[in-house]
Amino acid sequence: LFLLFSQAMAYHLVAVLAGQLARKAHQERFLREGILSNLQEGIATTDRSGHLAFFNRAAGILLGWTGAGEERLGQPWTALVPPPSPLSDIFASPVPTLRECRLDLESEVSIPVAATTSWLCDERDRHRGILLVLSDLTQRQRAEEAERQLSLLSASRTAAAGIAHEIRNPIASLRGAAQE
């Protein structure tokens, strides 16, 4: 009876631990799939040997990868991003980098991006891979262009006010002379 009771308790304990493990796995999947996959920034990671381990939807769009992405996982980064691309050698740098470049997509569209790399380390600070974050700079460049146009408009307004002042003074003198 004692053996039967201890086995039942062990099974119950295993079930409780398995439920906790399943909840933690579900939370991790939610974080990875729910948050990382829906970020506006593109995120890609490689493992220690330079093979693609993860990328989200935005990274696939910015890198011009159409179709199912699962077959790209596990492939070397150099095979996925061939040398004409400005990102082909970004993982070769021995230090984390920040680079602004233009990515040419198959649809003849060029997208300005900021590419940031950093190391992925485990809890013992051992190198596990590299993280790449791609940020689309299109909106920033549009805002900078609008700011430049606003600055030019402000300068032309100041010049027009100066010209009007220079014309108004002699005309006021002529009007005063004519009234006298």
Side-chain angles (χ1 to χ4, degrees), residues 106-180:
E106 295 173 358
S107 60
E108 303 299 321
V109 175
S110 181
I111 299 175
V113 296
T116 307
T117 60
S118 62
W119 292 313
L120 290 175
C121 297
D122 62 8
E123 59 275 351
R124 295 182 187 159
D125 283 337
R126 289 183 302 192
H127 179 70
R128 291 189 55 210
I130 297 177
L131 170 70
L132 169 68
V133 178
L134 298 170
S135 299
D136 188 353
L137 299 178
T138 305
Q139 294 297 328
R140 186 180 87 178
Q141 287 186 349
R142 286 181 186 160
E144 288 172 354
E145 181 62 29
E147 186 177 332
R148 272 193 298 276
Q149 289 178 354
L150 185 62
S151 176
L152 288 174
L153 185 61
S154 176
S156 62
R157 186 184 76 182
T158 303
I163 291 171
H165 178 71
E166 293 299 324
I167 292 174
R168 190 173 46 235
N169 283 347
I171 290 178
S173 298
L174 289 175
R175 189 179 80 196
Q179 285 177 346
E180 279 200 31

Side-chain angles (χ1 to χ4, degrees), residues 52-123:
L52 187 65
F54 171 81
F55 70 97
N56 66 354
R57 184 177 50 84
I61 291 170
L62 290 172
L63 293 169
W65 295 341
T66 57
E70 295 299 322
E71 68 270 2
R72 288 185 176 81
L73 295 177
Q75 292 186 10
W77 176 258
T78 53
L80 294 169
V81 182
S85 172
L87 296 179
S88 60
D89 63 341
I90 196 162
F91 289 122
S93 175
V95 295
T97 60
L98 170 64
R99 180 185 303 173
E100 289 188 12
C101 56
R102 297 189 78 78
L103 296 179
D104 298 321
L105 301 179
E106 295 173 358
S107 60
E108 303 299 321
V109 175
S110 181
I111 299 175
V113 296
T116 307
T117 60
S118 62
W119 292 313
L120 290 175
C121 297
D122 62 8
E123 59 275 351

